[in-house]
Amino acid sequence: MSVTTAPMPLLKITDLNAWYGESHVLHGIDLELGEGQLITLLGRNGSGRTTTLRAIMGMVDRRTGSISIRGEEFISKPAHRIAPLGRIGYCPEERGIFASLNVEENLLLPPTVGKDGMSLDEIYEMFPNLKEVRKRMGTLLSGGEQQMLAIARILRTGARLLLLDEITEGLAPVIVKALGDALSRLKKSGYTIILVEQNFRFAAPRADRHYVIEHGKVVDRIEADEVDAKMDRLNHYLSV
Amino acid sequence: MLNLILAQAMLGLNNGVFYAMLSLGLAVIFGLLNVVNFAHGALYMTGAFLALILYSYLGVWIGIEDLHINFWAALIIVPILIGALGILIERTMLRWLYNFDPIYSLLLTFGITLVLQGLFVNFFSASGTPYPGQPESLRGVVDLGFMIFPKYRLFAIGFSIVICLAVWFIIERTRIGAMLRAGTENPDLVKAFGINVPLMVTLTFGFGTGLAGLAGVLAAPIYSVGPLMGADLIIIIFAVVVIGGMGSIMGAVVSGFALGLVEGLTKVFYAPAANTVIFFLMVVVLLVRPAGLFGRQS
Ligand SMILES: Nc1ncnc2c1ncn2[C@@H]1O[C@H](COP(=O)(O)OP(=O)(O)OP(=O)(O)O)[C@@H](O)[C@H]1O
Ligand SMILES: [Mg+2]
């Protein structure tokens, strides 16, 4: 018997639970995304969006459920095997630029996880600011430069699945626009992206689907073409 | 008078060799593992004993009386053995304590110190044995103009400067060093990038203890090899590390040599204070710059 099935999602998360020490933060997250898609995780402060990304990367104290990437189960893999096996690049909310490394060392730190990562030249072409400061120590950068560096550093590795946490937070509009352009280019060249974002207007035009997270659970799932119809609901979720 | 000062400076520098090499290893370990390795002095002592054993005892034990594994071979073999011992300690014991207060790993390494000392007191004389394997080529003295200085000690100073520079270079200028520095700052993120941090931690501990073993071999021809030679030193080393700044590579090396010098010079001006001057400086530094001279003040 042959059935035509939807293509296997690149990432499928089922009933993901996560803990920091004794504190139980994720209570059964379900989400999925296909190759080349961009989804956003929306929600109020403290709802568990960062923790969802950290749980995928193995950066929580305990996690249960299922995280399947290209059909392979990742839930019990040790943290340092996850990025290479899943070809994942993680850009943390606090950016994680290393103060004792200069810009170029920061860029070159993450090991490659796949072929056809961007070369340094391509990266400097996408983020020209970084080239000028490449010998500067990590913490002497402006917020915008740090953010670009945090993204650039995972593009070099050949990662195809990008987890980006609040990349526009606290940045000037002109930099937000530059990041938006970079994001569109990445999407066009086939990267799969999970975006945690407060700035809905930044996220909306590029997203295929939105997940709304509350208290460590997905409470709603809104496809890009339903956004207009469900604007009231979205506003309600995101209002403080 | 000037000659006396220069002469004491050279002797001070000679002690500085061991302050620098030992505090360097401690700093490398503390940086990544956040562990104060109290056993560092005992591993240094074990290194000196291994050099002695390789030269004087091993042949007798295995029935080949003429076998004397020489100084140069010991300089390579012993650090590897002590590094391996460090790796064993990290894998089987230290590893389980990272999630607890650092005081536990300090206590563990203190216990290891007592065990190692006890072992050597039991099997060797507590008073110390001279190391007869000093290489022929380094015997004798050189005339430095202001003093007659043993050739071997000059070699020890030069050798340890080279080692310290090499370690500094590896940590500050190479990719491995960049991983180490990043791991010191944020091990979770480094892991998330796909770097095997637990392995890095093990190897770093092995590397740091290997340096202690190397210092032990270097010390064997100068000081007599005894079970307590590390215990005398480790307290000074802690003071050096505190003055330099916990975890600072540069701080460990510079203050190691500098404090050896200061100690030597104090002998010229007020000899009774020579043994306490380092601790006096430690108190001053702690009061004025609590993170140490080279530490990042937070
Ligand atoms: N290291 C931690 N230890 C214990 N609890 C934590 C830790 N980090 C986060 N939490 C808690 O987990 C919950 C989810 O936090 P998370 O950082 O995932 O939220 P978020 O949705 O990313 O929100 P935001 O980034 O806007 O603060 C919050 O209640 C937070 O207090
Ligand atoms: Mg967050």
Side-chain angles (χ1 to χ4, degrees):
Chain A
M1 190 173 80
S2 83
V3 274
T4 47
T5 49
M8 181 171 56
L10 179 87
L11 169 70
K12 187 170 166 60
I13 292 178
T14 338
D15 194 29
L16 178 64
N17 283 256
W19 288 261
Y20 292 114
E22 294 292 297
S23 105
H24 189 173
V25 174
L26 298 187
H27 301 265
I29 297 275
D30 295 291
L31 59 83
E32 62 180 67
L33 79 167
E35 178 103 46
Q37 286 192 322
L38 189 157
I39 62 164
T40 72
L41 307 185
L42 306 173
R44 297 194 178 100
N45 291 109
S47 55
R49 297 159 301 153
T50 294
T51 306
T52 303
L53 300 190
R54 290 176 59 94
I56 295 172
M57 297 315 297
M59 299 170 81
V60 291
D61 294 320
R62 194 156 82 81
R63 49 184 197 159
T64 63
S66 165
I67 300 170
S68 157
I69 302 173
R70 301 182 191 87
E72 190 179 351
E73 182 55 56
F74 274 64
I75 197 74
S76 49
K77 296 226 190 295
H80 69 271
R81 301 294 299 141
I82 291 172
L85 289 174
R87 300 189 64 186
I88 307 176
Y90 171 56
C91 178
E93 184 170 12
E94 67 287 353
R95 294 173 191 144
I97 301 305
F98 296 100
S100 58
L101 276 62
N102 69 24
V103 169
E104 206 146 279
E105 284 176 322
N106 266 287
L107 261 180
L108 296 174
L109 180 77
T112 41
V113 298
K115 301 186 303 283
D116 48 62
M118 285 190 188
S119 67
L120 274 188
D121 286 341
E122 284 170 302
I123 280 172
Y124 289 143
E125 191 254 325
M126 187 177 243
F127 302 109
N129 310 33
L130 288 184
K131 186 163 189 179
E132 289 159 35
V133 296
R134 68 184 183 281
K135 291 292 170 208
R136 204 177 285 176
M137 292 314 268
T139 39
L140 299 175
L141 303 179
S142 71
E145 287 163 339
Q146 288 197 17
Q147 190 60 69
M148 289 176 187
L149 178 55
I151 297 174
R153 142 176 103 174
I154 56 175
L155 296 177
R156 217 205 89 258
T157 64
R160 299 301 299 171
L161 169 58
L162 307 181
L163 313 185
L164 309 179
D165 199 344
E166 309 255 13
I167 55 173
T168 63
E169 200 178 18
L171 298 181
V174 45
I175 304 204
V176 172
K177 180 168 181 316
L179 288 173
D181 293 344
L183 198 64
S184 301
R185 271 172 72 177
L186 294 174
K187 174 129 206 277
K188 216 169 282 159
S189 42
Y191 284 89
T192 311
I193 299 168
I194 302 183
L195 198 62
V196 170
E197 198 45 76
Q198 294 279 21
N199 182 347
F200 184 67
R201 288 201 308 177
F202 175 82
R206 301 169 175 95
D208 294 296
R209 186 160 57 251
H210 305 279
Y211 288 91
V212 182
I213 296 181
E214 262 176 22
H215 303 299
K217 272 201 182 84
V218 173
V219 293
D220 209 342
R221 169 184 159 140
I222 299 170
E223 300 294 331
D225 54 15
E226 305 169 330
V227 165
D228 290 338
K230 295 187 173 171
M231 210 56 220
D232 286 348
R233 245 158 86 187
L234 266 171
N235 278 331
H236 163 74
Y237 288 132
L238 300 177
S239 64
V240 186
Chain B
M1 181 67 182
L2 182 66
N3 281 3
L4 179 65
I5 292 177
L6 286 173
Q8 282 303 332
M10 283 307 285
L11 290 174
L13 204 56
N14 200 238
N15 287 335
V17 163
F18 300 97
Y19 301 165
M21 282 183 69
L22 288 175
S23 53
L24 175 61
L26 269 188
V28 172
I29 290 171
F30 182 79
L32 187 64
L33 283 76
N34 232 337
V35 164
V36 177
N37 179 26
F38 201 94
H40 218 67
L43 290 163
Y44 156 83
M45 174 272 291
T46 308
F49 262 106
L50 284 181
L52 178 69
I53 289 170
L54 286 174
Y55 193 84
S56 305
Y57 294 87
L58 186 67
V60 180
W61 291 349
I62 62 174
I64 311 171
E65 303 270 329
D66 315 332
L67 181 74
H68 300 290
I69 296 176
N70 73 18
F71 175 80
W72 301 113
L75 217 44
I76 294 169
I77 298 170
V78 173
I80 293 172
L81 290 178
I82 300 287
L85 178 62
I87 286 175
L88 192 74
I89 290 171
E90 198 278 335
R91 277 271 141 133
T92 57
M93 295 182 258
L94 217 44
R95 160 141 310 188
W96 309 106
L97 300 179
Y98 296 146
N99 288 333
F100 301 99
D101 192 291
I103 194 78
Y104 287 93
S105 53
L106 182 72
L107 288 173
L108 172 75
T109 54
F110 181 62
I112 293 170
T113 302
L114 296 182
V115 170
L116 286 173
Q117 281 178 9
L119 277 177
F120 285 101
V121 168
N122 208 2
F123 292 105
F124 295 85
S125 103
S127 59
T129 318
Y131 174 75
Q134 184 174 351
E136 205 59 50
S137 54
L138 296 177
R139 283 180 202 209
V141 294
V142 261
D143 188 351
L144 294 177
F146 55 90
M147 77 183 297
I148 304 291
F149 202 67
K151 238 192 224 170
Y152 178 84
R153 292 186 176 224
L154 210 56
F155 160 79
I157 294 173
F159 182 79
S160 74
I161 290 177
V162 170
I163 294 287
C164 289
L165 285 177
V167 172
W168 177 85
F169 182 85
I170 291 172
I171 291 176
E172 297 296 335
R173 290 288 178 270
T174 68
R175 178 170 164 73
I176 300 230
M179 287 189 200
L180 206 73
R181 277 176 281 143
T184 299
E185 276 185 52
N186 189 345
D188 284 343
L189 185 58
V190 172
K191 238 188 264 180
F193 285 148
I195 295 172
N196 190 341
V197 175
L199 178 67
M200 204 161 89
V201 162
T202 304
L203 294 179
T204 300
F205 194 74
F207 180 74
T209 53
L211 273 177
L214 186 65
V217 180
L218 211 56
I222 301 182
Y223 310 110
S224 79
V225 179
L228 298 177
M229 64 190 285
D232 301 339
L233 206 51
I234 190 72
I235 303 301
I236 298 180
I237 300 304
F238 278 150
V240 170
V241 169
V242 168
I243 291 171
M246 294 294 276
S248 161
I249 305 303
M250 193 66 157
V253 173
V254 172
S255 46
F257 284 110
L259 290 169
L261 268 180
V262 168
E263 210 181 31
L265 293 178
T266 309
K267 284 206 178 102
V268 183
F269 297 107
Y270 186 59
N275 292 328
T276 43
V277 62
I278 289 184
F279 300 101
F280 175 73
L281 286 176
M282 180 179 90
V283 171
V284 173
V285 167
L286 278 178
L287 290 175
V288 180
R289 267 178 84 88
L293 296 179
F294 293 76
R296 220 169 273 135
Q297 313 286 326
S298 53

